[in-house]
Amino acid sequence: MNKMKWYQKLLIGLLVLLLSPLILICLISAGICALVQILKNKKEYKKSRYYLDFKQKIMMDSLYSPEYRFYNSAIHRNLPIQYIKQESNGFEYFIFDGTLYLFPDFEQIDLDAEKGEWQVDRDGDWSGFEESHKNLLAKLDKEPDLPIKLLIERKMFPLENLNEVNIPEVIYITWGYDEAFENEESPLKMLIPQNSKDLYEMMLQTPDLCGTFELLSDDGNIVWNLYDDIRIELGVDHHDCYLGVSKMLFGKVESGLTHWHPTAFEIYNEVCKIGKRGNVMILRTFASGGGVIYIGNKEDCPYQKNKRCLFGKLYYLEAK
């Protein structure tokens, strides 16, 4: 091995010395951004119905937990549930329509084809689903005289097509905890698009999806004319999905407003939130770019139509 020359070591030392202020500034900026996000999350959490009702101390993952997301949404939607938080161990579950529902304590669930059994993932450690399910049942203070289901959202399954496997009977698959028990009978819930053509076929089968859309080719993107003078382009790939929004100048020239990269597990839900009748998408643009600040139900949108902003422009786009 060739030893480093003295002048090479000197050069590296000088570079480190010169870059030290920049590195320090980057570290300080990252720290400030992290602190601002923590304070923002804490403020959001303190305003939630979950906190107001249970006074549970905020944790690092509180805003992303199944319990937090489901409870806030269910209360907001007036879902007729009986929600229980056990005093003995803090274990949470709910009763809806004659069934008791548990929340998972894992991040993923997948079928081990070689073993022929379902496995669950906790922080990278995989174990058997049956054992995990028994551990959850053991946390109940008493066994109720009701059927028991484990509520798991679709994106926790990495499998593309759940119609091709036997799902354990104790599992109830939902689109997501934020919209649990809405449109759950749709067969599209079991599918994840693998390319743009798959997504196009799913869009064709979606009721109340507004606008006109076309697939440019079998391996091309989808062009969606959803609003006046606004065009949406969709692309699905194994590694990177694309959702772009452009303003049409003179009806022909595209001027990009914003774009983002949802995962294959997210893109169909994004399409529904944007394009189902009565939903809205709010864009905020600046000289250097833009971004989406809200998509979803018009009634829940915190932004008013024709609202002006001090810097940039606000686009209020409603699917009709």
Side-chain angles (χ1 to χ4, degrees):
M1 181 181 293
N2 294 328
K3 290 186 177 180
M4 190 177 293
K5 304 292 185 180
W6 68 269
Y7 56 84
Q8 291 175 320
K9 294 180 180 179
L10 180 61
L11 181 60
I12 291 173
L14 289 172
L15 285 173
V16 171
L17 187 63
L18 290 171
L19 292 175
S20 292
L22 181 61
I23 294 172
L24 183 60
I25 290 171
C26 291
L27 290 174
I28 292 174
S29 299
I32 291 173
C33 290
L35 179 60
V36 169
Q37 188 62 50
I38 289 172
L39 294 175
K40 182 180 178 181
N41 289 348
K42 188 174 182 179
K43 183 179 180 181
E44 179 183 341
Y45 182 76
K46 286 291 185 71
K47 294 192 300 183
S48 71
R49 276 297 302 269
Y50 185 88
Y51 175 77
L52 294 174
D53 291 347
F54 300 116
K55 303 299 180 184
Q56 180 78 29
K57 184 179 178 180
I58 188 171
M59 306 295 288
M60 287 292 292
D61 60 347
S62 291
L63 271 67
Y64 311 104
S65 72
E67 294 87 347
Y68 175 85
R69 292 170 53 204
F70 172 79
Y71 184 81
N72 288 326
S73 173
I75 296 301
H76 177 72
R77 292 180 288 141
N78 295 315
L79 205 65
I81 62 169
Q82 180 185 353
Y83 198 90
I84 296 95
K85 185 177 178 65
Q86 295 180 163
E87 293 185 7
S88 61
N89 56 8
F91 188 61
E92 299 175 46
Y93 61 92
F94 68 95
I95 297 171
F96 174 71
D97 198 22
T99 299
L100 186 150
Y101 290 92
L102 306 175
F103 298 102
D105 60 354
F106 48 82
E107 291 83 44
Q108 273 192 309
I109 176 169
D110 199 4
L111 182 64
D112 188 322
E114 292 184 1
K115 295 181 179 179
E117 64 178 32
W118 289 91
Q119 300 275 314
V120 298
D121 170 37
R122 297 183 189 83
D123 297 324
D125 294 325
W126 289 87
S127 59
F129 169 73
E130 289 188 11
E131 180 183 356
S132 173
H133 183 239
K134 288 179 181 177
N135 290 337
L136 285 172
L137 293 175
K139 293 180 180 181
L140 292 169
D141 284 342
K142 59 180 180 179
E143 186 174 347
D145 187 22
L146 289 171
I148 302 175
K149 294 282 187 179
L150 186 57
L151 187 68
I152 301 179
E153 62 181 353
R154 177 60 179 91
K155 68 179 181 180
M156 294 174 68
F157 291 85
L159 293 173
E160 303 165 2
N161 189 346
L162 293 182
N163 293 315
E164 298 176 347
V165 296
N166 293 319
I167 306 296
E169 292 184 2
V170 295
I171 291 177
Y172 184 93
I173 302 173
T174 182
W175 287 101
Y177 295 116
D178 302 296
E179 56 267 337
F181 306 113
E182 289 186 1
N183 192 32
E184 300 286 26
E185 299 304 317
S186 172
L188 298 178
K189 181 173 65 174
M190 310 302 277
L191 305 174
I192 299 299
Q194 297 305 295
N195 49 55
S196 298
K197 186 176 181 181
D198 286 349
L199 179 61
Y200 176 74
E201 295 294 336
M202 293 172 73
M203 291 172 69
L204 288 175
Q205 298 176 57
T206 303
D208 285 334
L209 197 62
C210 300
T212 59
F213 46 88
E214 64 174 319
L215 182 66
L216 298 182
S217 64
D218 282 350
D219 57 353
N221 285 352
I222 300 167
V223 171
W224 189 9
N225 296 306
L226 181 58
Y227 317 105
D228 292 339
D229 300 324
I230 299 289
R231 174 173 291 175
I232 297 174
E233 187 173 349
L234 304 161
V236 178
D237 185 83
H238 284 287
H239 306 291
D240 185 30
C241 297
Y242 174 83
L243 204 162
V245 185
S246 301
K247 186 176 178 63
M248 302 302 295
L249 303 177
F250 310 110
K252 294 182 178 180
V253 181
E254 290 190 32
S255 175
L257 297 176
T258 188
H259 77 276
W260 65 101
H261 298 272
T263 67
F265 291 87
E266 298 169 334
I267 192 164
Y268 176 71
N269 282 346
E270 298 279 87
V271 165
C272 291
K273 287 180 181 179
I274 291 170
K276 280 208 167 186
R277 193 175 310 280
N279 285 4
V280 296
M281 175 167 62
I282 312 299
L283 306 180
R284 187 172 185 177
T285 59
F286 304 89
S288 58
V292 176
I293 55 177
Y294 178 83
I295 54 172
N297 193 300
K298 179 181 178 180
E299 296 177 358
D300 298 329
C301 181
Y303 302 93
Q304 298 296 321
K305 192 174 184 179
N306 300 322
K307 178 180 174 62
R308 296 181 178 272
C309 55
L310 184 60
F311 300 103
K313 182 176 179 179
L314 215 62
Y315 288 85
Y316 184 99
L317 306 171
E318 181 177 354
K320 297 179 180 179

